[in-house]
Amino acid sequence: MSNFASFKSLSRALFLGFRRDRGALFFTILFPLLFLVIFGGVFGKQSTGKVEVVEIGAVPVLDQAVAHDASGDLRKTVKLSRNDDRAAALKKVGKGDADAAVEQSGGKIVVHYSGADQVKSGVVQAVVQQVANSANLAATGRPPTYTVDGQRVEDKSIKGINFFTPSLLGWALASAGMFGASQTLVLWRTKGLLRRLRLAPVPIPTVFGARVVVSLGIALFQLAVFLLVAQLPFFGLKLQNAWWMSIPLVICGVLTFLSLGMLVGAWAKTQETAQTVTQLIVLPMAFLGGSFFPLDYAPKWMQVLSYVFPLRYLNEGMLNVMARGLGPTSALPQMAILLGIAVVAGGIAARLFRWDAT
Amino acid sequence: MTNTISVHGLRKRYGDVQAVDGVSFEVAEGEFFGILGPNGAGKTTTLEIVEGLREADEGEVELLGLKPWPRNSRLLPRIGVQLQATSFFERLTAREQLRTFGSLYGVSARKADEMLETVGLTEKADERVEKLSGGQAQRLSIACALVHDPELVFLDEPTAALDPQARRNLWDVLRAINTEGRTIVLTTHYMDEAEVLCDRVAIMDRGQILRLGPPAALVRGLDAPTRVSVASGVLAAEDARRLPGVDEVTDDGVSLIVETRDPSSVVAALSAKDALDGVQIRGATLEDVFLELTGREYRA
């Protein structure tokens, strides 16, 4: 008989089992996407909202500046409203409903701001200062000696969707791989399916190979879904040149997490134990491995601790090729480390492996 | 003629417990062989060693002339093993399940579907295994054991937890399989099942075989009294005691029960007194043999 036929049919059976498992579908595909939508949508666009400024009575300097704002820059930054009641206007600022209140009497302009949001209060003061300066300059009737021309530089720090797409995907892969492997192994053992398979003439590597191939297929599907969704205009991910290196990276990562899952599954006696232990590994790993926030901003001890978690290497490799725009070889060290962990964990799992529940 | 199974001096110890303590038996080709015993008697361990799932500490096992341990891939296609009814791939239909198992043995999908018919599950072909009733799941697991047309089939308590209809239905399936010339080894703790199905049974307890033989021979060998009962009141107990061949008489107000080792004389005498109202004759069964051998006290 052909082992390949057995392999194909086993893979098919396992895939059908996965596709019909609504819970697994939700947790492997939809749940991480939900996170991507939330994280990418909320933190993805780091643009600050407009600064809300209340005019107390008439503030001609501001009104004129807005009226002569040819480039529209001012209107993009500031939202003006008017309230003739001074006390009410100040109260608004105090409560945070407005960022500043401005009043003008003759040549004197007073800005009332709250210290709650330093960025916005800074913006308000700078804007008003600039408006006043322009008005002063215009009053002299002389052309400006110095002009400023702002030019934007490409931002190399990784934030927003460029960070969340690879790192949330890393978490999704770790979760799917570890839960999938540990649950399958314990379930097959407790239900007696392992013994049944042992009594069939199919080589055992064929059985496990089929399981691995199905997991890899699911992982590549996760990758595709993530990349497609993140590239929607709403999220605006731009793929870097070496993004295709994420495919071998994902494969290495899945092998690692399957091995770790097998390790848990080989050790745990019941499904409940396997589930709890897997969760206890995956969740801290996702946080400390840099899936939910960039490690660059984390405290030093956290950065050091992160080297313990395999997920860190997957995330790092993915960030290198997908977000930092580094070359294809930049992911090779991470891939080597992941494969190394996979081999060690797989070896221990094989030592702990039991056919029977008893 | 070589035996399909030959087992000699099998021993297996788990820690302090001698689970199997010197078991030997032979099973001929085409035989329906039963292993009986209370829980913990060692029958499952014996079966697992014979199937090749465990290594014996001592002793020899040969199946179809081959050794089952270590895992022997030349032997595996020739034997079929039914384990618990839950040993399935998750969320597959009955048909997909059977085709998947079939593919492990290189069996075509068409042949796998035929097996579904043999065990009477054609109507449930597209039902997921989780939705099958206990009896249906049990039949499917037997189908999975038979899908590759093995010469030798092992069934471990195939009718456990089934209702009476499902049990009898399964017996018919098992008898049909045996009639096709396959050798069947079955463990059970239902005595009626062993009596109805098996050509020979081995009664095990504490890791040893206590008796081995055809059920009827074991029952006869027990020399247990036959109980003849008639409706209470047709005959006084004192009169009954005077009948020929009577060992003991009891009257519980519903039935008058006569224990005898010569039931034909007793029945003839009752007939002469016209006292056969509601007569029932109950001989010893395999259950009596079993309880005689393994004791009546409850063991958890």
Side-chain angles (χ1 to χ4, degrees):
Chain A
M1 78 210 65
S2 129
N3 281 332
F4 185 64
S6 305
F7 175 79
K8 268 199 315 192
S9 135
L10 272 170
S11 305
R12 198 184 109 83
L14 293 171
F15 174 70
L16 282 177
F18 169 77
R19 210 187 63 192
R20 289 171 187 169
D21 184 353
R22 295 224 177 104
L25 274 183
F26 175 77
F27 278 107
T28 28
I29 312 285
L30 240 85
F31 194 56
L33 265 188
L34 220 61
F35 268 65
L36 184 71
V37 170
I38 294 169
F39 280 37
V42 173
F43 305 113
K45 295 182 187 144
Q46 294 271 340
S47 69
T48 327
K50 284 185 181 179
V51 182
E52 288 189 35
V53 175
V54 189
E55 293 179 324
I56 305 172
V59 185
V61 176
L62 266 183
D63 291 338
Q64 275 169 29
V66 171
H68 296 106
D69 182 21
S71 61
D73 282 347
L74 199 54
R75 262 168 302 198
K76 257 191 245 164
T77 354
V78 181
K79 189 185 166 204
L80 278 179
S81 61
R82 183 162 168 173
N83 194 333
D84 291 343
D85 180 352
R86 188 168 187 273
L90 290 181
K91 200 173 172 191
K92 263 183 124 178
V93 177
K95 278 166 69 185
D97 291 339
D99 297 302
V102 181
E103 56 185 333
Q104 182 183 4
S105 60
K108 192 179 173 197
I109 303 164
V110 181
V111 182
H112 305 272
Y113 59 89
S114 127
D117 188 335
Q118 296 189 347
V119 176
K120 284 190 171 173
S121 61
V123 169
V124 171
Q125 293 180 70
V127 164
V128 176
Q129 188 75 54
Q130 201 204 337
V131 166
N133 287 345
S134 313
N136 286 338
L137 185 65
T140 63
R142 290 173 52 190
T145 317
Y146 304 104
T147 57
V148 177
D149 179 19
Q151 288 214 343
R152 207 187 142 158
V153 175
E154 200 57 49
D155 188 356
K156 283 286 181 195
S157 75
I158 302 155
K159 55 186 167 204
I161 198 71
N162 290 331
F163 168 75
F164 284 117
T165 308
S167 59
L168 285 177
L169 177 65
W171 164 63
L173 294 173
S175 182
M178 284 198 64
F179 276 105
S182 66
Q183 294 292 297
T184 305
L185 191 51
V186 176
L187 198 64
W188 282 14
R189 186 172 57 234
T190 50
K191 289 201 316 179
L193 188 58
L194 275 183
R195 300 161 52 124
R196 181 64 188 80
L197 290 172
R198 190 187 185 189
L199 288 170
V202 59
I204 297 307
T206 307
V207 178
F208 285 89
R211 185 69 187 78
V212 170
V213 162
V214 170
S215 280
L216 285 175
I218 294 168
L220 292 176
F221 179 72
Q222 284 176 288
L223 172 69
V225 169
F226 253 66
L227 290 184
L228 289 177
V229 170
Q231 284 186 89
L232 294 176
F234 177 70
F235 299 105
L237 174 75
K238 295 267 183 297
L239 284 180
Q240 304 289 331
N241 283 336
W243 73 271
W244 50 267
M245 272 303 277
S246 61
I247 294 170
L249 257 170
V250 162
I251 292 173
C252 293
V254 169
L255 292 177
T256 307
F257 295 121
L258 285 178
S259 301
L260 286 173
M262 295 280 265
L263 181 53
V264 174
W267 166 82
K269 287 201 167 57
T270 66
Q271 248 190 305
E272 287 78 10
T273 315
Q275 208 159 4
T276 311
V277 171
T278 308
Q279 191 61 269
L280 281 177
I281 297 173
V282 169
L283 211 57
M285 179 163 75
F287 272 102
L288 299 172
S291 269
F292 295 144
F293 51 84
L295 284 172
D296 299 347
Y297 306 135
K300 188 78 188 154
W301 65 268
M302 218 184 251
Q303 294 188 15
V304 172
L305 188 61
S306 72
Y307 285 99
V308 176
F309 298 106
L311 183 53
R312 187 219 149 92
Y313 304 100
L314 178 61
N315 284 343
E316 203 178 3
M318 298 276 270
L319 283 172
N320 282 350
V321 295
M322 283 175 68
R324 296 200 175 98
L326 301 182
T329 50
S330 66
L332 291 181
Q334 281 78 16
M335 284 168 61
I337 293 170
L338 286 171
L339 287 179
I341 299 171
V343 168
V344 172
I348 301 174
R351 290 290 298 275
L352 292 178
F353 182 84
R354 288 161 291 164
W355 291 97
D356 298 285
T358 48
Chain B
M1 188 189 87
T2 60
N3 282 311
T4 300
I5 303 178
S6 71
V7 176
H8 284 288
L10 222 53
R11 278 177 218 280
K12 179 81 183 175
R13 172 181 281 275
Y14 294 123
D16 288 342
V17 184
Q18 188 71 48
V20 180
D21 190 9
V23 166
S24 304
F25 62 88
E26 262 141 26
V27 179
E29 192 185 329
E31 201 174 9
F32 204 133
F33 187 79
I35 302 178
L36 309 182
N39 290 334
K43 51 187 198 302
T44 301
T45 307
T46 303
L47 202 64
E48 285 174 349
I49 295 171
V50 173
E51 289 162 352
L53 282 172
R54 289 183 196 280
E55 187 178 16
D57 297 340
E58 257 181 71
E60 300 285 317
V61 182
E62 272 193 10
L63 304 185
L64 306 157
L66 298 166
K67 293 203 187 306
W69 185 274
R71 193 168 182 261
N72 186 337
S73 52
R74 273 188 307 141
L75 178 62
L76 293 176
R78 299 174 66 188
I79 65 172
V81 177
Q82 174 254 343
L83 298 166
Q84 301 104 310
T86 53
S87 306
F88 295 129
F89 292 101
E90 305 97 85
R91 290 174 290 279
L92 293 195
T93 66
R95 193 205 315 272
E96 289 163 347
Q97 199 73 241
L98 204 46
R99 285 184 177 182
T100 306
F101 273 109
S103 79
L104 303 181
Y105 293 87
V107 170
S108 70
R110 192 181 48 78
K111 266 203 71 186
D113 293 351
E114 279 172 23
M115 187 49 68
L116 215 51
E117 177 148 16
T118 306
V119 295
L121 282 177
T122 312
E123 277 172 39
K124 296 284 170 186
D126 296 316
E127 199 84 53
R128 295 215 192 148
V129 287
E130 289 84 359
K131 294 243 171 91
L132 297 179
S133 72
Q136 290 161 351
Q138 203 65 263
R139 275 185 283 160
L140 180 60
S141 93
I142 289 172
C144 290
L146 294 174
V147 68
H148 56 291
D149 205 10
E151 299 157 55
L152 171 58
V153 185
F154 294 94
L155 307 165
D156 195 3
E157 298 189 0
T159 61
L162 294 190
D163 61 46
Q165 283 82 6
R167 280 180 73 205
R168 270 159 187 78
N169 174 290
L170 199 59
W171 289 355
D172 293 338
V173 172
L174 296 181
R175 253 192 235 106
I177 295 163
N178 183 233
T179 320
E180 289 164 9
R182 277 181 254 262
T183 310
I184 301 184
V185 176
L186 156 120
T187 67
T188 182
H189 41 226
Y190 293 118
M191 299 305 134
D192 55 341
E193 185 163 300
E195 214 163 347
V196 166
L197 292 174
C198 298
D199 298 322
R200 279 193 311 145
V201 296
I203 297 179
M204 276 191 82
D205 198 13
R206 299 176 208 280
Q208 294 179 322
I209 292 182
L210 304 176
R211 288 281 191 291
L212 200 159
L218 294 184
V219 172
R220 245 181 278 119
L222 185 65
D223 191 31
T226 301
R227 294 147 72 90
V228 180
S229 70
V230 291
S232 201
V234 297
L235 190 70
E238 298 83 61
D239 297 336
R241 260 182 212 105
R242 285 194 291 274
L243 295 176
V246 168
D247 293 341
E248 213 177 311
V249 175
T250 48
D251 191 338
D252 60 6
V254 179
S255 308
L256 176 85
I257 299 155
V258 179
E259 287 190 9
T260 174
R261 284 179 170 76
D262 184 7
S264 36
S265 307
V266 170
V267 172
L270 284 172
S271 168
K273 290 184 181 294
D274 198 16
L276 281 177
D277 247 15
V279 69
Q280 285 187 348
I281 304 169
R282 191 180 163 273
T285 63
L286 199 56
E287 189 147 341
D288 297 304
V289 179
F290 183 78
L291 292 172
E292 173 77 20
L293 288 171
T294 62
R296 282 173 191 273
E297 81 277 16
Y298 174 69
R299 287 188 242 154

